[in-house]
Amino acid sequence: MRSTALFAPKILIIPGSLRTGSQNARLAAVVAEEFARADVEVTRISLGDFPMPIYDADLQANSGVPASATNLKQMIGAHHGILIVTPDYNASLPPLLKNAIDWISCVQSPHEGRGQVFHERAFAIASASAGRFGGARCLAQLRLILTACGAMVIPNQLALSFADDAYDDMERLKRSADADALKKMVRQLITIAGDTR
């Protein structure tokens, strides 16, 4: 797949897991390759590089927003499209990811409205799970949270079920339905991120 747009948006991929051998970090790498094949500039980060305390309004009032939250917000702001790849924790988000979103929503520059970084770019969501739901229940929660922050979350998403057996020897998705869903999500994020720049 090659992007035919004159403008190629910059895409940021955020895995929601730090666990060694994470299926979601693995999926994030596969999606990054798909963006690269589309001639799109893609950046993949680790939330481990942006450590933050558990969100506490009193902590914010007394100490302000952590520098890592400001840095992550700036990283998001430097891209036109964001893909979050998250594990499913009891049908919801892992605390690591939810905490990052909570802190980012509090970062407000003098010339910005609250949560403006969410309003001005397109978001896509994906999940991988060893179970049959593929993290779909978590994605419903994530879509709700991002929308509440003012984000535009694209319709296409990827819920990769039975992730332990989802790849071939070349680290590509081997089931055609999964590969098609990935490509549709990537194409849609590229198109919408380009339109919202």
Side-chain angles (χ1 to χ4, degrees), residues 6-194:
L6 295 177
F7 172 82
K10 294 170 63 177
I11 303 297
L12 178 67
I13 299 179
I14 305 175
S17 175
L18 302 180
R19 183 176 62 84
T20 301
S22 164
Q23 288 290 358
N24 286 274
R26 186 182 189 187
L27 178 59
V30 171
V31 181
E33 288 294 327
E34 190 66 27
F35 279 115
R37 281 192 288 272
D39 291 333
V40 172
E41 182 179 343
V42 60
T43 304
R44 182 160 46 105
I45 63 170
S46 169
L47 289 178
D49 293 329
F50 301 88
M52 304 174 210
I54 296 296
Y55 178 76
D56 181 332
D58 290 338
L59 177 63
Q60 181 186 357
N62 293 330
S63 305
V65 175
S68 288
T70 300
N71 293 340
L72 182 54
K73 182 256 184 183
Q74 291 172 346
M75 176 68 74
I76 291 172
H79 294 78
H80 306 97
I82 313 298
L83 170 64
I84 298 176
V85 187
T86 180
D88 179 318
Y89 281 24
N90 298 316
S92 189
L93 282 66
L96 174 73
L97 178 58
K98 180 61 165 61
N99 191 56
I101 293 172
D102 289 342
W103 273 118
I104 293 167
S105 71
C106 296
V107 180
Q108 184 175 349
S109 299
H111 62 285
E112 291 181 338
R114 182 179 172 90
Q116 188 169 329
V117 73
F118 290 102
H119 305 170
E120 297 179 341
R121 49 211 26 88
F123 283 74
I125 55 177
S127 183
S129 168
R132 63 188 177 93
F133 292 112
R137 295 172 296 182
C138 171
L139 293 182
Q141 295 291 320
L142 179 56
R143 183 177 293 274
L144 178 65
I145 291 166
L146 290 173
T147 301
C149 289
M152 198 288 295
V153 185
I154 68 170
N156 284 339
Q157 63 183 38
L158 175 60
L160 184 66
S161 58
F162 307 114
D164 292 340
D165 189 42
Y167 302 89
D168 63 19
D169 293 339
M170 301 294 292
E171 280 297 293
R172 296 173 299 198
L173 296 179
K174 66 183 183 181
R175 296 188 292 261
S176 60
D178 295 333
D180 288 345
L182 184 151
K183 290 176 182 177
K184 288 177 181 177
M185 179 186 68
V186 165
R187 284 196 296 263
Q188 189 171 63
L189 183 59
I190 291 171
T191 298
I192 295 178

